[in-house]
Amino acid sequence: MRSRMLERLIFVACAGVFSCAAAAYPDKPIRLVVPSGAGGITDILARLLAKDLSASLGQQVYVDNKPGAGGIVGSQSVATAPPDGYTLLMAFPSHVVNPTLYPKLPYDSVKSFAPVAMVSKVSPVLVARPDLPASSTRELIDYARKNPGRVNYATVGTGSLGHLASELLNQMAGTKMTHVPYKGAPQALTATMAGEVDIYMVSSPSNVVEPYRAGKLKVLGVSQGERLLLLPEVPPLSDTLPGFEVFGWNGILAPAGTPAQIVNTLNREINRILGSAEFLQILRNEGATPAPLSPEQFSKQIAADIGRWGKVLKDANIKPLNY
């Protein structure tokens, strides 16, 4: 009996210490891992978020870029970090693609992480070389059906959002367009403007506006279900292909086991920042929108995307790359 009483007292004491520690969070700097290089939309949003979180939490939040293997290197560093809220991940769409593309990941994309908050959503934009004999999604589909295998599309690599969106277009439209991967977005966009490839599903709409206005590109459609503020004259692809909807997202994950109190604190602060005028303006400039979700809603979105893109990968027989 005394032994059980002692166990209960120890448990209560430990719980009290833990509760106090969680209540004091944060009491040291927080590392925000970006699993890609500097300069892209994920990095830009992470740095803005880090600045605002530093002010609201009273501790420095600093960005640590860890690019490599489609986000795997940076993600692994967070999956294996202590679950104390001081190491976070700014995830992007590869997070929900990699479980199918790389069956032997060094972590579990669901079980190794605690979803904290979704930050933003962005709609890829379908562009075409300026002299392509098609000026709409319907005309592109008709042209591709008449020329199976001869129409090609640029991407920034196997398993990228643009790759999956283009393959989903192939599957839903009944076309056979050919994949041409490039090292990065600048190279893929330049190749499309130069006519080296026919079309390109651009993940950052802001990169399209200037060359489109200058007549260096055609813009055929946006992949979300409604028009973009940046390109109000461009219709959604779903006007031609009902049900077609693709968006990329950025979101914050923590190591699995991070206390719910810490997750909820971060979620509350991030969702508040998403409504700020400065953050909204940055998102608008990039053609993105804020995506405030609860941890539970974000978890469901991740699970749904893993299932959806896993099917597209398998149906298109897309194989993993060596890394």
Side-chain angles (χ1 to χ4, degrees):
M1 185 70 175
R2 288 182 178 179
S3 176
R4 289 184 180 179
M5 286 289 292
L6 181 60
E7 287 178 0
R8 289 180 182 178
L9 287 172
I10 291 173
F11 175 80
V12 170
C14 290
V17 170
F18 177 79
S19 178
C20 290
Y25 174 85
D27 61 5
K28 64 180 181 180
I30 299 169
R31 181 169 65 112
L32 177 55
V33 175
V34 174
S36 61
I41 181 61
T42 300
D43 180 67
I44 291 170
L45 293 180
R47 292 181 186 279
L48 180 60
L49 189 63
K51 177 177 73 70
D52 290 348
L53 276 176
S54 297
S56 66
L57 294 175
Q59 290 289 342
Q60 182 189 9
V61 180
Y62 65 95
V63 171
D64 182 10
N65 293 92
K66 284 187 171 296
I72 295 172
V73 173
S75 298
Q76 184 180 9
S77 73
V78 176
T80 56
D84 55 11
Y86 291 98
T87 303
L88 305 174
L89 177 69
M90 181 68 151
F92 55 92
S94 69
H95 187 80
V96 293
V97 175
N98 287 340
T100 303
L101 196 60
Y102 302 100
K104 295 183 179 179
L105 288 174
Y107 54 82
D108 187 298
S109 295
V110 174
K111 296 179 181 179
S112 298
F113 300 93
V116 174
M118 187 180 279
V119 175
S120 65
K121 294 168 63 174
V122 63
S123 168
V125 177
L126 179 61
V127 304
R129 58 182 170 89
D131 59 345
L132 185 74
S135 298
S136 68
T137 301
R138 170 51 58 198
E139 291 178 0
L140 169 66
I141 292 171
D142 291 343
Y143 179 69
R145 285 174 176 170
K146 293 174 183 175
N147 297 276
R150 295 179 60 187
V151 176
N152 49 40
Y153 64 89
T155 76
V156 297
T158 299
S160 63
L161 183 64
H163 186 195
L164 297 180
S166 300
E167 280 302 327
L168 181 62
L169 176 61
N170 258 337
Q171 292 171 17
M172 293 184 68
T175 54
K176 293 182 179 179
M177 296 182 282
T178 302
H179 179 209
V180 181
Y182 286 83
K183 291 183 178 179
Q187 294 88 343
L189 190 62
T190 299
T192 308
M193 290 189 288
E196 292 178 14
V197 289
D198 296 303
I199 61 171
Y200 172 34
M201 194 76 78
V202 185
S203 295
S204 297
S206 60
N207 294 338
V208 169
V209 177
E210 185 176 340
Y212 168 55
R213 302 296 184 209
K216 297 178 180 179
L217 284 172
K218 290 181 178 181
V219 179
L220 307 184
V222 298
S223 62
Q224 68 179 27
E226 57 188 16
R227 294 174 186 251
L228 286 176
L229 291 176
L230 280 181
L231 298 162
E233 70 275 28
V234 180
L237 274 76
S238 59
D239 284 2
T240 302
L241 292 173
F244 186 98
E245 184 174 20
V246 174
F247 61 85
W249 53 257
N250 288 113
I252 302 296
L253 305 176
T258 300
Q261 184 175 344
I262 291 175
V263 169
N264 291 333
T265 294
L266 289 168
N267 178 270
R268 182 182 66 248
E269 291 304 311
I270 290 169
N271 284 345
R272 182 187 60 77
I273 290 168
L274 296 186
S276 71
E278 181 184 12
F279 208 90
L280 285 171
Q281 188 57 52
I282 293 290
L283 289 177
R284 289 192 187 104
N285 291 345
E286 295 295 333
T289 57
L293 297 179
S294 69
E296 294 75 20
Q297 290 170 326
F298 188 23
S299 178
K300 290 178 181 179
Q301 183 68 59
I302 290 170
D305 284 349
I306 288 174
R308 183 191 191 200
W309 293 126
K311 183 178 187 305
V312 172
L313 286 162
K314 291 173 182 176
D315 288 350
N317 196 30
I318 297 173
K319 300 296 184 181
L321 300 176
N322 295 323
Y323 67 100

